[in-house]
Amino acid sequence: MNLRSTVALMAMSLALPAHAALSPAETAMSRTVDAEYERSIALLEKLVNQNSGSLNLAGVEAVGKMVTPELKALGFAVEWKPMLAAKRAGHIVATHKGKPGTTKMLLIGHLDTVFEPDSPFQTFARAGDKAKGPGVADDKGGMVVMLSALRAMQAAGTLKNANIEIVLTGDEEDSGEPLDVARADLIAAGKRADVALDFEGLSVVDGVDMGSIARRSSNSWTLTATGKSGHSSGIFSASAGEGAIYELTRIIATFRKELPEPNLTFNVGIIGGGQSAELDKDGVRIAATGKTNIIPSIAIARGDFRTLSQDQTDRVIAKMKAIVEAHAPGTSATILIDQGYPPMAPTQGNRGLLTKLNGINADLKLPQMPALDPLKRGAGDISFVAADTDGLVGFGVTSEGDHTPEETADLDSIKRQAKRAAILMTRLSMEPGRKK
């Protein structure tokens, strides 16, 4: 063999994943997932048929009571964390102690859905390997994948060594306030974890399963402009000025011109103004009065913006405030910004997790998963721990029509997702942890 051939073979060997094939335990896990497919679907049907809209506190707790015995049977210590202080039902925090000194994993999902009891969309309906129902994918399908993976690990004997903490929030779709109360348990779990795995839906683009290593933030803003009221015949004069509505639109137009940068989106969701304008307590309605011949004295707008990193968030806020402060003569303006869900930046640690997952895909003879464009994924609970731990998103089922009465899950995706998760957790459980 010549030198060139030897070098080529060495390069190929270095490119191979650490596990060239499934171990006997991993093969057993794969078989268990397949064997328990119908059991997983039966559990999914049970969960979906219990309404758990975020504001249906009793319904969210009922779903928690359905999941609790499943976790206890796997050896988890399960605690229900009431969230009445945040005007929500509560969360499940479940802990499984494994081998000391190994990777601590945090698994994230949620009990609630967007469909409240007054929605006509209430029941599970199956057609072959498809199922329609409220939360069938988001996120009851994700919880079923999580449980399927953990049962497979238990059956193969790999769960006993795994250090796993699970947080299933009860208000992911409509978070309680204040957020520092509603997400306190999740944030604390993130500080303990080496790795976070999010069991929301698998993103598929053009038939290709994607790996999500980033999620953008979700922030809201409220802009209020004021001006001198008077007869419209005096508009633009030195004594009258431009009025509140012109000032508000100047600011918004300047946002549109000066804010754009990669991975940033910003939106104006509601606007109103006139002789009077008042925003309701929920921030979704503006009551305004005025006449065509009166210069408007007040104008209000609300919107959001989404960023990929905290640095980007800070930069955008600074730009918005500078634009608002440069108000026209005879007017004034203020902006209030509510930083809601933080960003999950695409870190090297997150990319490393996707590389490990792609090693598993190779062993399962599944296609490689490219990194998803973060513009294609909204905010989520994993972002609250992203500053403290590496993370990967999208271990739930693939679906279409989420958040609509057409929400439909691909049930067959339970299999490959549970296999991926079980093998990844097993391999991570054999690695040393980074946190004490």
Side-chain angles (χ1 to χ4, degrees):
M1 183 179 296
N2 61 37
L3 180 60
R4 182 176 297 178
S5 298
T6 302
V7 171
L9 284 173
M10 289 175 64
M12 289 175 62
S13 67
L14 289 173
L16 289 173
H19 294 73
L22 296 179
S23 70
E26 292 168 350
T27 300
M29 284 188 278
S30 182
R31 289 173 179 163
T32 298
V33 168
D34 289 337
E36 294 199 344
Y37 178 57
E38 292 299 330
R39 174 182 173 179
S40 294
I41 295 172
L43 176 60
L44 179 59
E45 180 174 8
K46 179 181 176 182
L47 296 175
V48 169
N49 285 335
Q50 169 59 60
N51 179 277
S52 61
S54 306
L55 303 182
N56 179 6
L57 274 56
V60 171
E61 188 169 357
V63 170
K65 289 178 179 177
M66 293 175 184
V67 173
T68 294
E70 299 283 338
L71 291 169
K72 286 185 175 179
L74 292 164
F76 282 81
V78 184
E79 186 176 1
W80 175 254
K81 297 277 192 171
M83 280 291 130
L84 295 181
K87 300 180 178 62
R88 294 295 183 271
H91 314 315
I92 281 179
V93 177
T95 308
H96 184 280
K97 292 185 178 180
K99 185 178 179 181
T102 58
T103 297
K104 301 180 192 71
M105 292 170 270
L106 170 61
L107 313 186
I108 301 171
H110 61 91
L111 305 162
D112 63 317
T113 76
V114 299
F115 303 98
E116 299 296 339
D118 60 354
S119 168
F121 190 47
Q122 292 291 339
T123 56
F124 180 93
R126 181 180 180 182
D129 284 335
K130 302 284 186 181
K132 183 183 290 189
V136 70
D138 187 16
D139 185 40
K140 293 176 179 179
M143 290 192 295
V144 164
V145 170
M146 182 190 297
L147 291 166
S148 176
L150 293 170
R151 288 199 308 271
M153 292 174 69
Q154 185 186 56
T158 65
L159 182 59
K160 65 180 183 294
N161 289 328
N163 286 300
I164 298 174
E165 186 167 4
I166 297 172
V167 177
L168 303 176
T169 58
D171 61 343
E172 196 272 349
E173 301 293 3
D174 189 348
S175 57
E177 294 180 351
L179 265 178
D180 58 353
V181 172
R183 290 295 175 271
D185 294 301
L186 179 61
I187 292 169
K191 293 183 184 301
R192 292 187 289 269
D194 296 305
V195 168
L197 306 179
D198 187 310
F199 281 77
E200 287 201 285
L202 168 67
S203 292
V204 178
V205 178
D206 297 328
V208 177
D209 291 358
M210 307 295 289
S212 296
I213 60 172
R215 300 191 81 148
R216 293 189 304 153
S217 65
S218 177
N219 313 282
S220 63
W221 53 266
T222 303
L223 174 64
T224 304
T226 59
K228 297 177 182 179
S229 186
H231 197 284
S232 65
S233 63
I235 189 82
F236 308 137
S237 67
S239 59
E242 299 193 2
I245 290 179
Y246 274 122
E247 175 59 10
L248 189 83
T249 54
R250 177 200 70 80
I251 293 169
I252 290 172
T254 308
F255 284 173
R256 182 67 185 91
K257 180 181 178 181
E258 297 186 7
L259 290 183
E261 60 179 74
N263 297 310
L264 169 69
T265 55
F266 50 96
N267 179 57
V268 183
I270 183 171
I271 190 168
Q275 192 173 5
S276 69
E278 186 175 359
L279 185 68
D280 76 347
K281 63 181 179 61
D282 297 319
V284 297
R285 300 174 189 84
I286 297 175
T289 64
K291 290 185 177 181
T292 59
N293 61 351
I294 297 177
I295 300 172
S297 61
I298 186 169
I300 302 170
R302 292 201 77 226
D304 78 348
F305 69 94
R306 296 168 188 264
T307 59
L308 191 56
S309 70
Q310 190 59 46
D311 285 346
Q312 187 175 42
T313 299
D314 296 341
R315 182 169 61 251
V316 171
I317 290 173
K319 286 182 180 178
M320 294 176 84
K321 287 183 175 179
I323 291 167
V324 170
E325 288 170 2
H327 50 80
T331 68
S332 65
T334 59
I335 188 167
L336 299 176
I337 295 172
D338 179 15
Q339 294 189 53
Y341 276 61
M344 174 186 176
T347 64
Q348 283 301 112
N350 299 352
R351 292 187 180 94
L353 280 175
L354 180 56
T355 297
K356 290 178 181 180
L357 183 60
N358 273 325
I360 292 165
N361 284 325
D363 294 347
L364 287 169
K365 299 192 169 30
L366 293 172
Q368 296 289 284
M369 298 170 68
L372 179 71
D373 180 349
L375 291 175
K376 298 181 182 295
R377 185 126 217 170
D381 275 343
I382 194 172
S383 295
F384 286 99
V385 306
D388 297 308
T389 186
D390 298 334
L392 202 55
V393 181
F395 283 93
V397 297
T398 182
S399 61
E400 57 187 10
D402 291 13
H403 288 205
T404 78
E406 298 302 314
E407 183 170 338
T408 304
D410 175 4
L411 298 176
D412 192 61
S413 65
I414 292 172
K415 298 177 186 177
R416 67 181 185 276
Q417 288 292 81
K419 293 171 186 178
R420 284 167 170 156
I423 296 171
L424 179 60
M425 287 189 283
T426 294
R427 293 185 183 181
L428 288 172
S429 72
M430 293 184 284
E431 296 180 0
R434 298 191 305 276
K435 297 179 182 178
K436 294 183 178 179

